[in-house]
Structures are given as structure tokens and as C-alpha cells.
Amino acid sequence: MAEFEAVYRANFGVVAAFFARRAVDPQTVADLTSDTFVEAIMSFPSFDPARGSARAWLLGIARRVFARHCEAATRVGDVTLRLAGYRPIDVDETAELIQRIDAAREGRVLLDGLAGLSPADQEVIELVDMVGMAPREAAAALGTSSGAVRIRLFRARKKLRALTEQGKGEQ
């Protein structure tokens, strides 16, 4: 448990920021972050540091949690079922999550440029440039080779530069 606690403490902010860039509602950010760590603690015995960093492993889990969240959100379901797991968060927690969300929204021109990229390009830029992963770690999180990540990253950065220059000119 001490090992998992160290992983949790070192990576909570990274995982919360991952969801803050994708969700507007602080409650959703908190729920998705919580779901990620529940899944992580359940699968922690199978975590192999030789295959990649804990951060890459956690963001791989976070990607799957977010994908499931998006699938569930697109399905029309029973409102009662969706609200059954709803737990309002405390005011202190809300304020902290709002600060995290606002901090993740800095650099509006850059984020607008990111929106102009394909989802695959957005993901590689986020993992390497925003989260700070090495391309090798990002490759582990994405389930691809580090060479493919490096090529995608080079091309995505080039497209992003062009889009942000265009965005700066429009302001």
C-alpha cells in the first residue's frame, strides 16, 4: 500500500489536470480522477515499472476511464441511474478543482490551436508537452512505438505552430 500511496501522491495532480482539460464540471473531474485511481489500485499488483513509468501507466488508465465516460454520456439512459452515484463535493474541493481547471485553461491561443489538430496529434502533444512525459513514456501510455510517437510529435508541433501563428494574427 505504501508503494501505491507514493504513486498516488506523485501523480494525483497530473491525472486531475488530464481530466480538467477535458471536462468543464469540477464534479466530473473529481469523479473521473477517483475512478482512475480506483482502477489503478485494483490493478496495481500487475503494474510493471520495467514496462514504463507509473505516470504513463496511470494516464493509460485515465484514457480508458475517459473513453468509457464519453461512451456513457452519449447513450441516452435512465436519469435515476446516472444520478445514483452522484456525490456533491465540498466547497473546498470545488474551489481547488476550479483553480486546477482555470490553470489548465491558460494559454487560450495554444489550446485553440490544439483544437485544430487531429485527436491523435492532440494526445501526443498533451502527453509530451503538457504532461512532460518522455516520448518513450508517451508511447507506453498510447500503446505504440516510441519512433511513431516521435514522428507524430514532430508533425503535430509543426501543425500547432502554424495554427497558433494564425490564431495570434486573428486577435
Side-chain angles (χ1 to χ4, degrees):
M1 283 312 282
E3 288 178 62
F4 182 78
E5 183 178 352
V7 168
Y8 172 83
R9 289 183 187 279
N11 294 288
F12 178 84
V14 171
V15 173
F18 176 84
F19 291 121
R21 287 187 291 274
R22 288 165 173 72
V24 176
D25 178 37
Q27 183 67 48
T28 303
V29 173
D31 289 345
L32 294 172
T33 302
S34 174
D35 291 347
T36 299
F37 283 104
V38 167
E39 245 184 74
I41 199 166
M42 291 171 43
S43 64
F44 192 66
S46 66
F47 169 63
D48 181 9
R51 293 183 61 204
S53 71
R55 184 173 48 174
W57 174 69
L58 282 170
L59 287 174
I61 293 171
R63 288 178 64 228
R64 291 189 298 277
V65 166
F66 188 70
R68 282 194 306 268
H69 166 74
C70 290
E71 288 172 12
T74 58
R75 282 187 235 117
V76 177
D78 185 4
V79 173
T80 307
L81 289 176
R82 283 187 276 144
L83 294 177
Y86 183 78
R87 177 192 66 87
I89 57 177
D90 295 334
V91 174
D92 294 339
E93 291 175 307
T94 302
E96 180 184 342
L97 285 171
I98 289 171
Q99 286 177 333
R100 287 177 187 254
I101 290 168
D102 289 343
R105 289 190 177 144
E106 290 180 9
R108 192 75 246 162
V109 172
L110 183 61
L111 291 177
D112 288 344
L114 269 173
L117 297 176
S118 70
D121 287 347
Q122 289 176 17
E123 202 162 38
V124 75
I125 289 281
E126 178 184 7
L127 291 176
V128 176
D129 292 335
M130 296 171 85
V131 174
M133 287 184 157
R136 179 181 37 80
E137 287 180 300
L142 295 171
T144 188
S145 71
S146 60
V149 166
R150 287 184 198 326
I151 291 169
R152 190 185 310 166
L153 181 62
F154 174 78
R155 291 178 181 161
R157 284 175 175 164
K158 184 176 178 180
K159 290 176 196 172
L160 184 58
R161 268 189 229 97
L163 289 170
T164 54
E165 289 301 318
Q166 179 184 355
K168 287 177 186 175
E170 292 173 2
Q171 286 185 348

